[in-house]
Amino acid sequence: MTAASTDTPMIRMSAVDKYFGSLHVLREIDLEVPRGQVVVVLGPSGSGKSTLCRAINRLEPINSGSIEIDGVPLPAEGRSLAELRADVGMVFQQFNLFAHKTILENVTLGPIKVRKQSKEAARETALQLLERVGIANQADKYPAQLSGGQQQRVAIARALAMKPKVMLFDEPTSALDPEMVNEVLDVMTDLAAEGMTMLVVTHEMGFARRAAHRVLFMADGEVVEDAAPDAFFDDPKSDRAKDFLGKIL
Ligand code: ADP
Ligand code: MG
């Protein structure tokens, strides 16, 4: 694999279409996310935000168009897909930890299986990451013994353990009790400040204003607005964005 130059976009989607049956869920999406950029994706329920995230790492096959991560086209299937997919970390609303594995095992499993790290190396990295998200002392517990906010921070550590080039977050705080939202957003804000390329679906407008370089507003499978956060929040252009902001702010 040739090293991509620094101006190769980290994510490039070209004319991506996705249908569920006759429902056209992503419509000719063209999107380039430069290295280190933090993009917040907003839009009403059903507008295609989750499908966009899932398409980026091929959890969801697309009908046409192309997707490249750091200049490398995502193959449709096979072993190389597993490797490329590992470049794209994903954090979901439901934390999706393995219930019958310890916190440490949850974080070391992917690096050992997919990245072929030794157990010792994976353990060392995992403990560093758990430290970084503030839960190193919970390493030997099981997910159910942790709060939702702690579990979500483990999910972030697990994704980071794969050394991804891009992190996708799909409503990472929507399932959390309000008092736990900030502990997760703080970890994400730090990650953004460290230069991680991130695509974040969230309704947390404070996070969007603080951490995002760019806001995408989606409606009916299209990117309707693509603007800097302040420009979007203070002066949305489309009626659909005005309507959306009127309901959530
Ligand atoms: P959002 O995340 O913005 O709420 P989604 O990407 O989840 O939107 O969904 C976009 C549209 O696709 C919705 O109309 C939804 O009902 C539909 N959809 C999502 N997943 C599936 C699926 N697996 N099968 C059929 N329709 C789906
Ligand atoms: Mg969704």
Side-chain angles (χ1 to χ4, degrees):
M1 214 178 292
T2 54
S5 84
T6 47
D7 50 7
T8 305
M10 197 54 103
I11 303 172
R12 176 187 277 149
M13 304 178 82
S14 310
V16 170
D17 278 296
K18 168 70 185 176
Y19 292 82
F20 285 115
S22 59
L23 189 65
H24 200 173
V25 181
L26 296 179
R27 298 170 183 263
E28 293 270 309
I29 301 279
D30 289 310
L31 174 65
E32 290 193 358
V33 178
R35 188 176 307 269
Q37 191 171 68
V38 178
V39 180
V40 162
V41 182
L42 300 173
S45 178
S47 55
K49 306 179 300 294
S50 292
T51 307
L52 180 83
C53 288
R54 294 169 61 80
I56 290 173
N57 68 355
R58 283 280 159 108
L59 281 175
E60 205 64 79
I62 57 176
N63 293 90
S64 58
S66 66
I67 300 172
E68 291 173 15
I69 302 298
D70 202 13
V72 182
L74 272 182
E77 55 191 20
R79 190 183 148 67
S80 51
L81 177 61
E83 283 168 13
L84 270 181
R85 191 178 273 161
D87 286 341
V88 184
M90 183 137 182
V91 175
F92 303 89
Q93 180 174 336
Q94 301 300 340
F95 330 119
N96 294 354
L97 298 177
F98 301 113
H100 301 292
K101 298 202 180 292
T102 66
I103 297 310
L104 186 68
E105 288 165 347
N106 265 276
V107 181
T108 56
L109 197 68
I112 292 169
K113 290 223 153 145
V114 179
R115 295 295 200 201
K116 309 295 179 206
Q117 286 181 14
S118 70
K119 265 190 152 174
E120 296 68 37
R123 180 187 155 83
E124 196 173 316
T125 310
L127 288 173
Q128 281 169 8
L129 285 168
L130 289 172
E131 179 85 50
R132 180 165 153 197
V133 301
I135 29 188
N137 54 351
Q138 318 275 9
D140 296 322
K141 292 191 178 167
Y142 287 86
Q145 295 173 281
L146 270 56
S147 72
Q150 290 172 324
Q151 289 189 56
Q152 193 60 302
R153 285 183 283 145
V154 173
I156 295 171
R158 181 176 63 173
L160 292 175
M162 298 294 275
K163 300 197 167 43
K165 293 179 171 179
V166 180
M167 286 283 287
L168 309 176
F169 294 85
D170 191 1
E171 301 203 25
T173 60
S174 298
L176 298 177
D177 292 334
E179 73 271 22
M180 294 173 187
V181 167
N182 279 333
E183 65 192 52
V184 172
L185 292 178
D186 286 348
V187 169
M188 294 167 59
T189 303
D190 287 348
L191 202 54
E194 288 161 20
M196 177 61 80
T197 308
M198 295 166 54
L199 193 103
V200 184
V201 180
T202 184
H203 297 302
E204 294 293 333
M205 300 304 139
F207 174 82
R209 282 217 191 233
R210 184 169 74 242
H213 301 110
R214 178 180 178 191
V215 170
L216 301 181
F217 175 73
M218 288 186 73
D220 296 331
E222 286 177 309
V223 176
V224 176
E225 300 205 25
D226 182 349
D230 287 345
F232 177 76
F233 290 117
D234 299 337
D235 186 22
K237 303 290 178 218
S238 63
D239 287 342
R240 281 189 288 195
K242 286 177 193 163
D243 183 53
F244 175 79
L245 288 172
K247 284 179 180 141
I248 59 163
L249 290 180

